[in-house]
Amino acid sequence: MNVSFRKVSQFNTEEIIGLSVGEEQDHLISDNTRWLLQAASNCGSVDYGIYYDDQPAGLISLIDPRVVQPDDHFQPDCLYVWRFMIDNKHQGKGLSKRTLSFVKDYAKLVGLKGVSLTTMDQEKGNALPLYLKHGFEPTGRRLDDEIELKYLSR
């Protein structure tokens, strides 16, 4: 399995926009067009297309809390996963595991102690089990009615 991560740019935006989650997950995430428009106005996010054998398969947006205005949503020592999705045709292939590993390595590379995120834990089909499986732990906080999770590098 060849998984790669490419910054979203004018060269791959169109193919990334075409990705979508399954109908049972649709209520959990914005569509990619809206997502990328929001990201374009959010100077703090770095957006990557997730590729499986050179085909677009997902999207992830990351925020380094040190380069944005202070905000309760960010743990000051953790890279924040703002958005994350794997296309419905590519789920179940280990891409989430590879992506979360990429994010953990990215956090270390930029000098942060870990990774934080929130997820809609009270909604059907949520990703909480996925994050718990990959070492994320609840912080005890809820933000915008979502549970906050944190992974600290060892």
Side-chain angles (χ1 to χ4, degrees):
M1 164 176 41
N2 182 19
V3 179
S4 60
F5 303 90
R6 303 175 193 166
K7 275 192 174 183
V8 175
S9 71
Q10 65 187 25
F11 303 109
N12 63 356
T13 299
E14 192 171 313
E15 63 190 21
I16 296 293
I17 285 174
L19 301 174
S20 63
V21 295
E23 194 175 296
E24 67 283 355
Q25 298 169 320
D26 203 37
H27 66 289
L28 297 171
I29 195 161
S30 297
D31 69 79
N32 290 348
T33 301
R34 182 172 179 211
W35 174 347
L36 290 173
L37 286 171
Q38 288 175 329
S41 66
N42 179 353
C43 61
S45 80
V46 180
D47 313 297
Y48 287 92
I50 303 161
Y51 287 78
Y52 178 76
D53 291 335
D54 287 326
Q55 298 299 310
L59 177 60
I60 190 159
S61 293
L62 307 171
I63 297 175
D64 183 331
R66 300 170 299 188
V67 300
V68 295
Q69 294 283 33
D71 186 316
D72 279 351
H73 283 79
F74 305 130
Q75 294 282 338
D77 57 349
C78 290
L79 185 66
Y80 183 68
V81 176
W82 181 39
R83 303 257 173 92
F84 174 37
M85 66 83 68
I86 300 293
D87 183 81
N88 63 335
K89 294 181 285 257
H90 295 284
Q91 292 181 10
K93 297 179 180 178
L95 293 173
S96 291
K97 178 181 180 179
R98 295 288 291 271
T99 302
L100 292 173
S101 179
F102 167 78
V103 170
K104 292 170 185 177
D105 290 344
Y106 187 105
K108 277 188 207 175
L109 183 68
V110 299
L112 291 167
K113 293 181 180 175
V115 178
S116 68
L117 55 84
T118 60
T119 191
M120 299 170 76
D121 61 313
Q122 297 176 348
E123 296 290 331
K124 185 177 179 183
N126 72 72
L128 180 60
L130 170 80
Y131 296 127
L132 294 174
K133 178 180 171 183
H134 292 287
F136 286 82
E137 297 179 358
T139 65
R141 294 191 328 156
R142 293 194 69 78
L143 303 165
D144 300 327
D145 204 31
E146 296 183 13
I147 188 172
E148 180 185 51
L149 303 169
K150 187 174 180 179
Y151 171 86
L152 291 178
S153 298
R154 314 273 181 242

